[in-house]
């Protein structure tokens, strides 16, 4: 379904007879994905209590959408979270609070502390709480990395061909490891790890969306990355399904099909600017200004090679069927991006001058033959 507009907070429903949580706790509730997941769970009358946790207070609009859900302002490293889990007898924990980049004015060490140490302490609380029977971890396909030696599709048993360079990917790998340690120590607990493909959509417009909607898109000459994307509606639906049914296992979550980077740029009406691979990080960032400079280390690698996912287990074990293919998700992003400024001749000329200044040898003058 690509044509009609959908409410991000609207539920898809659950199969009749499926056991649902009695008390669910969701971390990262001030962010769109976590907040809308809280909204969906709060709309389910079979769930007695929904507890939203974050160190930041959600927007007034998000708090209104959460309805009957209870918001607790706390860092997951704070002992208060353990007290909440024990006193409320939480049986389902959904962990979505992962920083994807170093916060402004902070450091890489602070990011790792929030991601890895925070997850360790949350999992320790789950391990010690007998009421907790299900844990859902929102992870990322970035754990597979992006290289020229990658398979056409990664299955869940595969790992990165080369250790990912980016902080978010490395943190996600560590957090997954601690989550699996929790499952080994608590075999009665169902652990679901969802490796989400890059998310695009009108509201949850992530890295890929910002990249391909830039008026002039720097690309690596001779490369055409394969993008397999996930619509924001399906990202939310997969998390909801895991929270409600909770089958143990690791699942790749992505829409069907792939779109080449060159196709994505054409469909969005943008202009590709091919540059040599060795200059992609420096010249590309200069051409795109603050947008490109804000990308983390693993993201330019993804723009160069992409990543494909095998989603068989998503369908056969998790029982989730995405409503949007990769092409349809991109089309929905294109509709939302129509108001964005399109490239002009002047802009293209300015970008060309920036690239020439970087690529041209020193002392080379315009007009020299």
């Amino acid at each position: 379904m690509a044509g009609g507009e959908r409410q991000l907070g609207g539920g898809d429903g659950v199969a009749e007879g499926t056991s649902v949580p009695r008390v669910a706790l969701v971390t990262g509730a001030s962010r769109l994905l976590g907040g809308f997941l809280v909204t969906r769970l709060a709309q389910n009358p079979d769930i007695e209590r929904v507890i939203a946790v974050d160190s930041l207070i959600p927007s007034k609009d998000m708090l209104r959408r959460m309805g009957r859900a209870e918001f607790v302002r706390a860092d997951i490293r704070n002992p208060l979270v353990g007290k909440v889990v024990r006193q409320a007898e939480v049986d389902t924990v959904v962990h979505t609070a992962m920083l994807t980049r170093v916060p402004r004015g902070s450091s890489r060490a602070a990011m790792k502390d929030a991601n890895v140490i925070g997850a360790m302490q949350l999992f320790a609380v789950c391990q010690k709480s007998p009421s907790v029977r299900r844990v859902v971890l929102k992870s990322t396909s970035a754990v597979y990395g992006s290289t020229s030696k990658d398979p056409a599709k990664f299955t869940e048993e595969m790992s990165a061909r080369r250790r990912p360079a980016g902080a978010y990917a490395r943190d996600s790998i560590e957090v997954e490891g601690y989550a699996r340690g929790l499952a080994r120590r608590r075999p009665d607990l169902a652990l679901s790890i969802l490796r989400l493909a890059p998310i695009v959509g009108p509201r949850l417009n992530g890295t890929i969306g910002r990249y391909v909607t830039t008026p002039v898109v720097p690309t690596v000459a001779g490369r055409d990355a394969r993008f397999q994307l996930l619509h924001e509606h399906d990202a939310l639906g997969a998390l909801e399904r895991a929270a409600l049914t909770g089958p143990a296992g690791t699942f790749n979550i992505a829409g069907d099909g792939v779109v080449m980077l060159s196709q994505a740029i054409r469909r969005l009406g943008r202009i590709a600017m091919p540059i040599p691979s060795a200059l992609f990080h420096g010249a590309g960032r200069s051409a795109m200004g603050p947008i490109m400079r804000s990308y983390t280390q693993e993201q330019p690698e993804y723009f160069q090679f992409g990543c494909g996912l095998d989603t068989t287990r998503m369908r056969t074990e998790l029982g989730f069927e995405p409503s949007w293919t990769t092409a349809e998700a991109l089309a929905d992003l294109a509709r939302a991006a129509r108001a964005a400024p399109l490239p002009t001749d002047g802009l293209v000329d300015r970008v060309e001058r920036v690239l020439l200044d970087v690529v041209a040898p020193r002392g080379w003058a315009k007009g020299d033959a």
Side-chain angles (χ1 to χ4, degrees), residues 156 251-254 311-320 322:
E156 289 84 353
F251 307 96
N252 291 332
I253 309 295
T311 56
T312 302
R313 186 179 292 178
M314 174 188 72
R315 291 179 168 83
T316 59
E317 297 183 27
L318 183 61
F320 179 73

Side-chain angles (χ1 to χ4, degrees), residues 152-171:
K153 291 185 177 182
F154 278 100
T155 65
E156 289 84 353
E157 292 80 10
M158 295 179 179
S159 58
R161 292 294 188 264
R162 182 182 67 224
R163 182 171 172 78
Y168 176 48
R170 291 192 175 193
D171 286 355

